[in-house]
């Protein structure tokens, strides 16, 4: 997914001028409202509100917006207002709810019913009808192809003919499963202006937006650099959402004092950073990303102060990073000093207050090591009041003037659950379920949004955008979650390893949006809390329905159980109790214990699902199976952004976990056997998403088949060969035509499509067979499935080495199969050249054989990113790869000629006038 071309927008409308920082051309702020809309560039049309301005208008407050969305001072109105241009992403979409939207406005005036908080779009007929027609024609072509093959079971090896028949049938079925889920793509665009009007513009100046709990998960400050995690927290604390209605929970599953003290430093830095963001309405609000941008239009309300404030915050952030880095040496030095004074000789890790850290020590000891330590809960920032608190004016000690800015900060909590070697802690899913219970006792927000430690809020209005779907009068109450696409920073411009995965996020999920909703794919997803509890949606509830029908499945904590009915009320606005009260402290300790879930439904019907590598997809499937629906929300600028795997090997390990977990889900939570509440087409989509790795079993046969005819003169997989080729050409051409239409309505580029095809083949050779083998072993020998491996993320680097880690080769066994496929297809082309030299072929034979070689060249083109990856730093010059291939072709051809000379004693170069082709069999796919 290529980074957005347009700069991020600000949180509120303001000055449109550009301010230079230090005279060096460094600009800041956001976009003018005419430049960015909530639906990807064209949301301002057809009644859709502008995502750049909170209220969708061109007016701007003269004083910074506070944490509740309240404004102080007079408004100023722009003299001119540009009509927003339609983004290419929206060019082929048309609204389908105009009549419903107009009626909602009328109803709002009569009986007070809420207007529609999002607009619905579908692909225009000029693309949708050809898209469906091409799909039908390709299906017909595939059926005719199979009929022809069954009527002509002729080949040089019937065993291979049968394998190809079964494989082609499977490919046809999986294509159909994938395609039918995308025949009715739907886009839904949040209307932030109406949301603000309905929930923020109240007479008392307060907001009625629901409470929201934010979960962040991390475990290792090395593989997941702490600077990313702390940037994520800073961006969440500064988000444009009522400050008294959000609470952030950081789950540190490693129990590391580095994360704890890093969070303390972050809370202190946030006292300056968050008011700075509000004062100048900057985007994005993660400082690492913000300061990396060189130029942006200013959108705040104090342009005269911005340059000085920017310089001051830049220095403060640099000092903040130094303090974070220093923790890795400061804490061991402090601990050594305390240990030197200790009489028991223990090598403990000490906190700044002179007490021993209850979590994991640098030198592990009993009850203080990974997998074995007490539970820890620390409230870093207490819950703020509901009245604004304005900061101090500028002074000699503090040059930042926050006198017109609400300086309150949202609640911030550190959690590290209890660990014991006698329990299976269920990795991330277990940590999420602990957060679920802890947050229920402290804040109990009816909505939850979760992040990985390397993702940050890129658009401060993202939480509001998701609420438009949750609070809409149509199907909001039956919406369990809103899934945002995953976008990434620091991916190379060509997206060599398909990290952006745009075909899935911008095409497949839009297709699912027209059924029961997108699948849950991890980070950046807002949940309705009671849906995570396994409670039925309103449309499936009986008249005598009870929110809690069986207390045993929720555990033994009565305060937690009693909190569940309150979580069903989205207007719930309790003030969180102090975490240090003895009664609540005891309960918090109880719900964090390893033994709490024994005998409960946690990990099965409640919370995040256990015993599977892809807990996110299975959890979403369970929610859909209960009858809930979901929504897909794609806004511009991107709602959230994260960090991608650093090199080829890490990327393949990531795909291994996904594909292995998908197969585990297919066999343990088979979508085909789900209950009647799961939409039929949704069932088809989940089947496709979980069974796709099986295709590699047949694909590997095709990719390695040329090894047979390297050593033989003639071997046909299907006769008559010309007809076989004709059918294949028709099917392949129609596939590409369907892809070209999909590119148009999904707003993709040709490079996005090519990268998707390339990495499918790479995954099918390097990863999917291994995932399939894991599952077979698990089913046959009752072993474990694919193990969870934390994906290492790229650390910050200098400009001169921006993509340096991409060129590092980490050799691993899963690289071998794809290397073998490359060698076989290179050898096939070289052998064909050599045999053409000595075989006495006619021109017709040469042309016939070249058809087979197209397949080999096509495979090498698809595996091209993998070949670059194993070249290391040489891949900086891609032309070297083509030179290597040419040299390999010449060497293999030379070997074939040499073998022929050794057998015959001579070699003749001549052409014959007729005869069948010798090497057509690489067209087995």
């Amino acid at each position: 997914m290529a980074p957005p071309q347009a700069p991020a927008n600000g949180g509120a409308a303001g000055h449109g001028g550009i301010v230079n920082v230090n005279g060096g051309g460094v600009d800041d702020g956001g976009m003018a409202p005419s430049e960015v809309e909530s639906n990807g560039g064209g949301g301002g049309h057809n009644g859709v509100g502008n995502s750049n301005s909170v209220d969708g208008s061109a007016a701007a407050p003269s004083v910074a917006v506070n944490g509740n969305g309240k404004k102080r001072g007079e408004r100023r109105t722009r003299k001119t207002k540009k009509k927003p241009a339609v983004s290419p992403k929206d060019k082929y979409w048309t609204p389908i709810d105009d009549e419903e939207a107009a009626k909602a406005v009328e109803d709002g005036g009569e009986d007070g019913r809420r207007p529609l908080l999002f607009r619905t779009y579908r692909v225009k007929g000029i693309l949708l009808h050809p898209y469906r027609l091409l799909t039908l024609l390709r299906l017909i072509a595939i059926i005719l192809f199979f009929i022809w093959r069954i009527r002509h079971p002729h080949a040089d090896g019937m065993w291979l003919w049968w394998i190809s028949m079964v494989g082609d049938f499977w490919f046809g079925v999986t294509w159909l499963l994938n395609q039918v889920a995308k025949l009715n793509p739907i886009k839904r665009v949040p209307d932030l202006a109406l949301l603000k009007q309905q929930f923020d513009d109240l007479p008392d100046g307060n907001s009625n937006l629901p409470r929201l709990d934010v979960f962040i998960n991390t475990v290792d400050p090395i593989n997941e650099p702490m600077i990313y995690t702390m940037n994520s927290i800073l961006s969440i604390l500064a988000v444009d959402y009522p400050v008294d209605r959000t609470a952030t929970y950081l789950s540190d599953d490693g129990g590391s004092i580095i994360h704890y003290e890093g969070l303390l430093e972050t809370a202190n830095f946030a006292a300056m950073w968050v008011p700075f963001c509000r004062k100048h309405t900057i985007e994005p609000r993660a400082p690492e990303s913000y300061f990396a941008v060189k130029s942006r239009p200013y959108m705040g309300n104090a342009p005269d102060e911005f340059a000085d404030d920017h310089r001051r915050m830049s220095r403060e952030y640099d000092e903040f990073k130094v303090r974070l880095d220093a923790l890795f040496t400061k804490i061991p030095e402090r601990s050594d000093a305390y240990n030197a004074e200790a009489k028991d000789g223990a090598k403990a890790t000490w906190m700044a207050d002179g007490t021993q850290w209850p979590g994991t020590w640098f030198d592990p000891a009993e009850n203080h090591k990974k997998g074995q330590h007490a539970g820890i809960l620390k409230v870093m920032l207490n819950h703020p009041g509901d009245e604004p608190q304005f900061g101090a004016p500028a002074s000699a000690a503090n040059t930042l003037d926050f006198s017109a800015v609400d300086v309150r900060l949202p609640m911030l909590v550190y959690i590290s659950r209890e660990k014991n070697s006698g329990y299976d802690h269920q990795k991330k899913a277990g940590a999420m379920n602990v957060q679920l219970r802890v947050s229920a006792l402290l804040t109990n927000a009816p909505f939850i949004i979760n992040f990985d430690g390397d993702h940050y809020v890129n658009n401060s209005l993202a939480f509001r955008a998701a609420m438009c779907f949750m609070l809409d009068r149509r199907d909001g109450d039956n919406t369990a979650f809103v899934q945002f696409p995953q976008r990434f920073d620091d991916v190379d411009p060509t997206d060599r390893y398909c990290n952006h995965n745009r075909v899935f996020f911008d095409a497949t999920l839009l297709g699912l949006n027209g059924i029961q909703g997108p699948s849950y794919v991890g980070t950046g997803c807002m949940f309705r809390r009671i849906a995570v509890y396994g409670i039925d949606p309103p449309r499936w509830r009986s008249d005598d329905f009870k929110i809690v029908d069986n207390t045993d499945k929720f555990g033994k904590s009565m305060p937690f159980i009693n909190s569940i009915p309150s979580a069903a009320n989205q207007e719930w606005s309790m003030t969180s109790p102090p975490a240090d009260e003895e009664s609540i402290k005891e309960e918090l300790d109880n719900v964090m214990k390893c033994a709490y879930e024994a005998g409960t439904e946690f990990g099965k019907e409640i919370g995040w699902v256990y015993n599977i590598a892809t807990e996110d997809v299975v959890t979403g499937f369970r929610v859909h199976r209960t009858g809930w629906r979901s929504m897909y929300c794609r806004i511009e600028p991107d709602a959230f952004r994260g960090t991608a795997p650093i090199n080829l090997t890490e990327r393949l390990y990531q795909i291994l976990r996904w594909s292995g977990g998908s197969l585990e889900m297919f066999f343990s939570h088979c979508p085909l056997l789900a209950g009647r509440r799961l939409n039929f087409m949704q069932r088809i989509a989940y089947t496709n998403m979980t069974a796709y790795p099986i295709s590699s079993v047949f694909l590997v046969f095709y990719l390695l088949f040329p090894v047979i005819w390297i050593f033989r003169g003639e071997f046909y997989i299907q006769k008559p060969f010309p007809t076989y080729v004709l059918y294949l050409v028709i099917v392949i051409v129609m596939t590409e035509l369907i892809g070209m239409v999909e590119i148009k309505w999904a707003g993709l580029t040709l490079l996005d499509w090519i990268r998707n095809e390339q990495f499918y083949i790479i995954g099918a050779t390097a990863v999917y067979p291994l995932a399939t083998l894991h599952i077979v072993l698990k089913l046959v020998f009752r072993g474990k499935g694919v193990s969870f491996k934390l994906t290492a993320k790229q650390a910050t680097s200098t400009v001169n080495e921006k993509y340096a880690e991409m060129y590092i080769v980490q050799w691993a066994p899963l690289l071998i199969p794809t290397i073998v496929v490359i060698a076989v297809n290179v050898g096939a082309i070289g052998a064909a050249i050599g045999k053409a030299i000595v075989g006495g072929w006619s021109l017709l034979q040469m042309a016939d054989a070249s058809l087979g070689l197209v397949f080999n060249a096509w495979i090498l083109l698809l595996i091209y990113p993998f070949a670059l990856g194993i070249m290391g730093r040489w891949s900086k010059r891609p032309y070297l790869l083509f030179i290597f291939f040419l040299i390999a072709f010449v060497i293999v051809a030379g070997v074939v000629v040499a073998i022929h000379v050794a057998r015959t004693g001579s070699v003749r170069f001549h052409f014959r006038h007729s005869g069948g082709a010798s090497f057509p069999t690489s067209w087995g796919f």
Side-chain angles (χ1 to χ4, degrees):
M1 294 173 283
Q5 298 300 312
N9 66 318
H15 296 280
I18 298 178
V19 177
N20 290 330
V21 180
N22 294 327
V26 180
D27 310 323
D28 204 89
M31 267 194 145
S34 61
E35 297 175 8
V36 179
E37 272 69 38
S38 64
N39 68 339
H45 63 288
N46 295 316
V48 180
N50 189 315
S51 75
N52 185 53
S53 173
V54 174
D55 61 358
S57 67
S62 60
V63 184
V65 179
N66 69 16
N68 276 340
K70 291 180 274 189
K71 302 178 178 64
R72 299 171 67 238
E74 299 296 327
R75 292 181 178 270
R76 291 171 295 180
T77 306
R78 293 183 185 271
K79 294 181 180 179
T80 61
K81 184 176 180 180
K82 290 183 179 180
K83 185 177 180 179
V86 177
S87 164
K89 291 184 179 180
D90 301 315
K91 181 179 179 181
Y92 299 105
W93 295 82
T94 184
I96 59 175
D97 57 357
D98 280 345
E99 195 173 310
E100 189 177 14
K103 184 169 178 54
V105 173
E106 294 177 4
D107 291 345
E110 294 177 3
D111 58 11
R113 295 173 65 192
R114 296 196 305 270
L116 309 186
L117 294 179
F118 65 82
R119 298 298 307 278
T120 306
Y121 296 78
R122 73 182 305 171
V123 178
K124 292 181 178 179
I126 193 174
L127 282 185
L128 184 61
H129 298 323
Y131 186 68
R132 292 173 173 175
L133 178 61
L134 284 170
T135 300
L136 177 61
L137 292 177
R138 189 182 190 273
L139 177 61
I140 294 173
I142 290 174
I143 294 173
L144 293 176
F145 180 44
F146 275 102
I147 293 174
W148 175 81
R149 293 201 68 184
I150 292 172
R151 290 179 175 177
H152 300 79
H154 308 302
D156 288 330
M158 289 306 296
W159 61 273
L160 191 57
W161 183 88
W162 276 108
I163 291 176
S164 70
M165 279 292 295
V166 176
D168 286 347
F169 176 77
W170 179 258
F171 292 139
V173 169
T174 53
W175 168 81
L176 185 61
L177 294 178
N178 178 65
Q179 198 61 32
V180 295
K182 295 188 286 187
L183 293 180
N184 185 36
I186 292 294
K187 179 187 293 186
R188 295 183 174 90
V189 180
D191 192 327
L192 297 171
L194 282 178
L195 181 79
K196 179 182 182 300
Q197 181 182 359
Q198 289 291 308
F199 292 91
D200 283 335
D201 290 344
L202 304 179
D204 61 358
N206 287 314
S207 173
N208 276 343
L209 284 171
R211 294 178 64 89
L212 176 65
D213 287 339
V214 186
F215 295 171
I216 307 177
N217 293 275
T218 189
V219 61
D220 188 334
I222 304 300
N223 282 332
E224 294 180 315
M226 187 168 60
I227 188 65
Y228 293 150
T229 304
M230 299 308 153
N231 265 269
S232 176
I233 292 168
L234 289 168
S235 69
I236 292 167
L237 295 178
V239 77
D240 187 351
Y241 200 82
V243 67
D244 59 328
R245 292 177 176 267
T246 62
T248 302
Y249 295 84
L250 173 66
S251 173
D252 172 21
D253 222 28
S256 170
I257 191 174
I258 296 289
H259 279 134
Y260 171 73
E261 297 206 2
L263 196 59
L264 283 175
E265 292 287 353
T266 301
N268 292 331
F269 178 69
M272 293 182 64
W273 173 251
V274 173
F276 170 75
C277 294
R278 292 173 183 161
K279 179 179 179 179
H280 297 292
T281 59
I282 67 163
E283 299 281 351
R285 300 188 178 183
E288 188 71 21
S289 299
Y290 169 72
F291 289 118
V293 177
K294 300 302 181 185
S295 178
R296 292 197 178 194
Y298 181 72
M299 293 299 296
N301 303 283
D304 296 337
E305 302 175 35
F306 175 70
D308 290 336
D309 288 358
H310 183 281
R311 282 192 292 269
R312 171 68 187 278
M313 283 308 308
S314 180
R315 289 195 300 270
E316 291 289 341
Y317 181 60
D318 288 340
E319 293 175 6
F320 167 70
K321 290 195 291 185
V322 169
R323 291 195 298 272
L324 287 184
D325 290 339
L327 292 177
F328 289 90
T329 55
K330 176 182 175 181
I331 297 174
E333 289 175 357
R334 176 210 303 155
S335 298
D336 289 342
Y338 277 114
N339 290 330
E341 299 175 0
K343 297 180 180 179
D344 55 7
K347 293 184 178 180
T349 297
W350 294 79
M351 302 171 66
D353 61 2
T355 60
Q356 292 184 357
W357 173 243
T360 303
W361 288 356
F362 285 113
D363 294 313
E366 190 69 18
N367 297 320
H368 292 286
K369 56 187 176 182
K370 286 185 178 180
Q372 185 181 2
H373 60 77
I376 310 168
L377 189 142
K378 303 284 186 179
V379 177
M380 302 296 195
L381 296 172
N382 287 311
H383 192 279
D386 58 1
E387 290 298 323
Q389 297 176 10
F390 295 99
S395 63
N398 183 12
T399 59
L400 295 172
D401 182 5
F402 293 148
S403 59
V405 182
D406 185 358
V407 296
R408 289 176 301 159
L409 298 177
M411 186 174 180
L412 178 62
V413 181
Y414 172 90
I415 301 173
S416 184
R417 56 183 170 144
E418 182 191 46
K419 292 289 188 69
N420 189 297
S421 57
Y423 291 86
D424 184 352
H425 300 106
Q426 299 295 341
K427 304 178 178 67
K428 180 180 175 181
M432 296 279 282
N433 285 338
V434 170
Q435 284 176 292
L436 191 65
R437 296 192 294 270
V438 168
S439 64
L441 294 176
L442 287 179
T443 47
N444 199 31
F447 298 98
I448 298 164
I449 189 166
N450 71 283
F451 291 94
D452 289 342
D454 62 334
H455 277 66
Y456 65 90
V457 180
N458 183 64
N459 186 333
S460 63
L461 297 171
F463 293 177
R464 291 175 175 268
M467 283 299 175
C468 288
F469 299 104
M470 292 294 196
L471 304 179
D472 187 80
R473 59 183 262 188
R474 288 164 291 186
D475 220 14
D477 290 342
N478 291 295
T479 299
F481 61 89
V482 177
Q483 179 66 62
F484 290 85
Q486 294 182 15
R487 310 297 197 200
F488 299 99
D489 293 326
D490 296 328
V491 174
D492 62 295
T494 62
D495 191 15
R496 178 189 292 180
Y497 302 137
C498 196
N499 289 107
H500 290 312
N501 203 5
R502 283 193 181 273
V503 172
F504 175 75
F505 284 112
D506 292 347
T508 301
L509 291 192
L510 282 176
L512 293 178
N513 211 26
I515 310 175
Q516 198 171 341
S519 56
Y520 170 39
V521 290
T523 183
C525 185
M526 181 181 289
F527 270 96
R528 190 178 297 272
R529 184 183 285 266
I530 59 169
V532 183
Y533 287 154
I535 296 170
D536 290 344
R539 65 194 181 104
W540 286 101
R541 295 175 189 170
S542 59
D543 295 337
D544 59 347
F545 176 81
K546 294 182 179 179
I547 295 291
V548 180
D549 57 352
N550 182 2
T551 58
D552 291 340
K553 65 182 183 180
F554 290 98
K556 302 300 182 182
S557 172
M558 290 311 299
F560 168 63
I561 294 171
N562 293 335
S563 73
I564 297 173
S566 299
N569 179 11
Q570 64 190 29
E571 298 179 0
W572 176 250
S573 59
M574 67 169 284
T575 301
S576 59
D580 56 358
E581 283 188 2
E582 197 59 37
S583 58
I584 190 66
K585 188 175 181 180
E586 183 178 343
E587 285 299 326
L588 288 169
D589 184 64
N590 181 28
V591 299
M592 286 195 296
K593 287 187 178 298
C594 304
Y596 181 85
E597 295 181 354
T600 71
E601 290 295 317
F602 277 98
K604 291 173 281 188
E605 296 301 321
I606 300 174
W608 278 258
V609 177
Y610 291 161
N611 298 313
I612 194 164
T614 51
E615 77 290 329
D616 47 4
V617 179
V618 182
T619 300
F621 167 73
R622 192 203 70 210
V623 170
H624 278 139
R625 188 190 63 195
T626 310
W628 291 92
R629 68 158 298 115
S630 59
M631 301 281 189
Y632 182 63
C633 182
R634 186 180 73 185
I635 61 176
E636 294 286 350
D638 298 329
F640 315 115
R641 296 186 71 85
T643 307
I646 57 180
N647 58 35
L648 175 63
T649 307
E650 291 294 339
R651 174 72 167 133
L652 291 177
Y653 274 125
Q654 185 184 60
I655 295 176
L656 175 62
R657 182 168 64 88
W658 291 346
S659 57
S662 296
L663 274 179
E664 285 185 70
M665 175 180 168
F666 180 77
F667 289 104
S668 60
H669 302 77
C670 184
L672 296 174
L673 304 179
R676 63 189 179 93
R677 297 185 183 182
L678 188 67
N679 183 286
F680 175 75
M681 295 302 296
Q682 195 81 9
R683 196 184 308 248
I684 295 298
Y686 270 115
T687 301
N688 176 62
M689 283 190 291
T690 54
Y692 69 90
I694 298 176
S695 301
S696 64
V697 175
F698 305 103
L699 190 56
V700 167
F701 272 102
Y702 288 134
L703 300 183
L704 295 179
F705 179 68
V707 75
I708 296 176
W709 56 271
I710 287 177
F711 305 105
R712 296 190 54 168
E714 187 172 323
F715 197 96
Y716 290 94
I717 195 173
Q718 177 75 52
K719 298 177 180 179
F721 181 65
T723 307
Y724 180 56
V725 171
L726 178 62
Y727 270 112
L728 286 174
V729 169
I730 292 173
V731 171
I732 291 173
V733 167
M734 295 185 70
T735 301
E736 299 308 315
L737 288 175
I738 292 172
M740 293 305 100
V741 178
E742 190 170 297
I743 285 174
K744 290 292 185 182
W745 64 254
L748 304 173
T749 66
L750 183 59
L751 182 61
D752 294 328
W753 187 263
I754 292 172
R755 286 291 185 251
N756 183 74
E757 294 295 305
Q758 288 177 324
F759 230 78
Y760 173 77
I761 295 297
I762 292 171
T765 55
V767 176
Y768 301 162
L770 184 58
T772 305
L773 178 62
H774 268 283
I775 298 306
V776 170
L777 294 177
K778 177 180 180 180
L779 294 176
V780 175
F781 299 105
R782 302 294 180 182
K784 292 185 178 180
V786 176
S787 60
F788 180 94
K789 179 183 183 298
L790 183 66
T791 304
K793 300 301 191 300
Q794 183 175 3
T796 54
S797 56
T798 64
V799 176
N800 294 331
E801 299 180 350
K802 188 171 185 180
Y803 305 116
E805 294 183 70
M806 185 175 70
Y807 305 114
I808 297 175
V809 181
Q810 294 180 348
W811 292 103
L814 78 170
L815 299 178
I816 296 175
T818 310
I819 293 176
V820 172
V821 169
I822 293 174
V824 167
N825 283 273
V826 167
I829 295 175
I833 295 172
K835 292 183 179 183
I837 293 174
V838 299
W841 288 359
S842 67
L843 292 176
L844 180 60
Q845 286 177 303
M846 296 282 286
D848 201 3
S850 65
L851 292 175
L853 298 181
V854 168
F855 174 75
N856 303 108
W858 179 46
I859 292 302
L860 292 177
L861 188 63
L862 290 177
I863 302 181
Y864 169 76
F866 178 93
L868 285 179
I870 61 175
M871 286 175 61
R873 294 191 175 274
W874 285 15
S875 66
K876 293 180 179 180
R877 300 174 179 85
Y879 63 84
L880 291 177
L881 178 60
F882 294 97
I883 295 176
F884 293 155
F885 278 157
L886 291 175
I887 293 173
F889 297 154
V890 171
I891 291 174
V892 175
V895 171
V896 171
V897 172
I899 293 174
H900 178 81
V901 171
R903 286 179 176 178
T904 63
S906 64
V907 59
R908 294 179 60 192
F909 303 97
H910 66 277
F911 292 102
R912 293 199 307 238
H913 296 289
S914 62
S918 296
F919 300 97
T921 52
S922 60
W923 270 98
F925 181 53

